[in-house]
Amino acid sequence: MLQKYIDICKEETGVDLAVTDIKGNMIAGTYASDKELPKKYTETPDGRYRVYASGKGADTAAVMLSGWIQIRNALMDEEGAVDETEAFWLRLMKETVRRNASEEEAAGMQRLTEEYGRGAEKIGIDPEVKRIVYLLEIGKGQNNTELNSAAVELLKQMSPDPGKSSIVHGEDGLLIVIREVGGKLSGKKEISQYRIWAEEYVSMINTELMEKVSVAYGNPSETLPEVACSYREALEALNVMGKYYEERTIASYAALDVGGLFYHVPEEIQRRFLREIFGEKETVTLSEKELQMVVKFFEKDLNLTEAAKDLYMHRNTLAYHLKKVQDKTGLDIRKFDDAQKLKLAMMLKI
């Protein structure tokens, strides 16, 4: 596997590469023998290997190979096997971020499309297929290694064609599902299907593992580098949901609502907005019961009668409590403008 990767790098970059142990004994490479190795080398961050490279762009190639070895080590199971498909997707996502930061986006994406298209075909990945990325966060705050392993098996079982989906272990305990999109889907049906798949993931984890799960997904991707874009979009959607929509379990990057806007607004501007409403304290304290009533009132589009019915109370009782909220906040949420202000302030954690 390592030799195969080095051969691909040599073919695509023209750079000679080699990996040795810490004593300089060659494990794999394109050099004829240890004696031909250059004097300069890059040591992997874990201190277990040395990476040698010579030729145009050798430093870049050495860093890439060093990074790949780190990924490879992280993906090893107890028997030492490596999932080359998983390694490919991780490398693609990380390399796309690096390239986009250093090149003009259009030219950089074109080069990546060609480069990774060749690499993908060699390990059986179709570079021309439309894909979408889902992120699953299972058992937040727990040591979820075992949970993720169990979830991976369930995901494989529920896939109609396991060969058309890739499951990758991402950073911070996230599971990344890179799913192929069938050519039959289009328009609103396609958008609805993305949501249905997310709901299936949530239902499966809730039912089979009895664990809470948050699922986020990006926009569909037409090229391999765009898969990395879909991943970043899914990650942003997950972060927005965690910060502004804690009650939700599914988030789509294409439908982040006001939370997607707030996510990119500097904190100082958010605090200024709160000061405009509540003064220098920037906050007010509502009881759990008051929050419940306010949320229900908003859910019922400011309809006092319907909200009271769902809360099992007389509408006059609800009106009394909303008046107490007005006394605390200075906002009469029976009026649209004041209701809008309080809802935004609640998203910002008043």
Side-chain angles (χ1 to χ4, degrees):
M1 175 62 187
L2 181 57
Q3 184 62 54
K4 181 179 178 180
Y5 180 81
I6 290 174
D7 290 339
I8 292 173
C9 286
K10 167 72 173 181
E11 181 182 331
E12 295 182 356
T13 67
V15 174
D16 280 301
L17 290 159
V19 177
T20 73
D21 60 23
I22 203 63
K23 294 181 180 179
N25 300 311
M26 191 158 64
I27 299 169
T30 56
Y31 297 93
S33 68
D34 296 352
K35 295 179 181 179
E36 294 186 7
L37 294 174
K39 292 182 179 180
K40 184 180 177 181
Y41 61 83
T42 299
E43 193 169 293
T44 58
D46 60 7
R48 295 171 60 189
Y49 304 100
R50 293 176 180 176
V51 179
Y52 296 80
S54 57
K56 188 177 179 180
D59 289 343
T60 300
V63 170
M64 284 179 62
L65 181 56
S66 174
W68 183 86
I69 291 171
Q70 289 298 105
I71 294 171
R72 176 180 179 274
N73 289 342
L75 295 175
M76 282 188 170
D77 61 20
E78 293 177 357
E79 298 177 356
V82 176
D83 186 332
E84 62 182 3
T85 301
E86 188 166 356
F88 172 85
W89 289 120
L90 283 172
R91 184 168 66 93
L92 169 67
M93 287 184 277
K94 290 187 177 183
E95 182 66 4
T96 301
V97 173
R98 188 184 69 80
R99 294 283 187 93
N100 282 349
S102 60
E103 302 181 19
E104 290 186 15
E105 189 166 342
M109 289 291 272
Q110 180 60 34
R111 278 189 283 272
L112 280 169
T113 300
E114 295 172 358
E115 176 184 338
Y116 279 95
R118 292 192 296 269
E121 289 174 344
K122 291 177 181 178
I123 59 173
I125 295 175
D126 187 344
E128 303 295 329
V129 173
K130 180 188 274 191
R131 295 178 171 88
I132 186 168
V133 174
Y134 288 84
L135 292 183
L136 280 68
E137 185 177 41
I138 305 170
K140 187 175 182 179
Q142 302 182 42
N143 183 347
N144 59 357
T145 303
E146 292 185 7
L147 285 175
N148 280 356
S149 297
V152 167
E153 294 306 312
L154 289 172
L155 289 167
K156 289 177 180 177
Q157 291 173 22
M158 72 177 290
S159 176
D161 187 345
K164 293 188 177 181
S165 292
S166 297
I167 304 169
V168 179
H169 292 80
E171 296 178 350
D172 300 322
L174 297 178
L175 280 183
I176 307 168
V177 179
I178 303 164
R179 183 162 185 163
E180 292 188 11
V181 179
K184 297 179 181 179
L185 296 174
S186 62
K188 291 184 178 179
K189 287 185 177 180
E190 181 176 344
I191 295 171
S192 296
Q193 186 60 59
Y194 300 151
R195 177 77 185 191
I196 290 170
W197 285 337
E199 290 171 350
E200 288 174 350
Y201 293 146
V202 171
S203 176
M204 177 196 66
I205 300 299
N206 289 164
T207 305
E208 300 295 331
L209 297 183
M210 292 182 289
E211 288 288 343
K212 292 182 179 179
V213 59
S214 297
V215 177
Y217 55 98
N219 289 319
S221 56
E222 301 284 352
T223 66
L224 288 174
E226 286 178 2
V227 171
C229 296
S230 185
Y231 164 75
R232 292 198 299 276
E233 290 168 351
L235 186 59
E236 180 172 323
L238 188 68
N239 289 335
V240 168
M241 178 167 58
K243 189 169 184 180
Y244 301 115
Y245 304 113
E246 291 181 344
E247 74 282 0
R248 299 183 186 179
T249 57
I250 297 174
S252 164
Y253 179 78
L256 292 180
D257 200 33
V258 180
L261 175 64
F262 276 156
Y263 188 73
H264 294 282
V265 174
E267 183 180 345
E268 179 51 39
I269 295 178
Q270 295 182 28
R271 294 177 65 183
R272 187 174 70 192
F273 170 74
L274 292 175
R275 285 197 296 271
E276 288 176 6
I277 299 174
F278 304 120
E280 290 302 315
K281 290 184 178 180
E282 299 181 7
T283 185
V284 295
T285 302
L286 298 179
S287 68
E288 200 66 38
K289 185 178 181 180
E290 288 170 336
L291 283 171
Q292 182 186 8
M293 292 177 182
V294 169
V295 169
K296 181 59 66 175
F297 188 57
F298 289 158
E299 283 180 4
K300 294 300 177 179
D301 297 324
L302 313 189
N303 187 309
L304 194 65
T305 301
E306 291 299 316
K309 188 184 298 183
D310 273 20
L311 290 167
Y312 302 101
M313 63 176 61
H314 194 279
R315 69 187 306 276
N316 291 344
T317 304
L318 178 58
Y320 167 76
H321 286 290
L322 294 184
K323 180 63 172 65
K324 291 180 67 177
V325 170
Q326 181 181 350
D327 293 340
K328 288 184 177 181
T329 64
L331 299 171
D332 181 359
I333 63 173
R334 290 171 297 183
K335 299 177 180 178
F336 176 78
D337 286 347
D338 282 1
Q340 192 175 45
K341 289 178 182 177
L342 185 58
K343 187 167 185 178
L344 293 177
M346 288 171 66
M347 290 182 67
L348 294 175
K349 314 298 184 192
I350 60 170

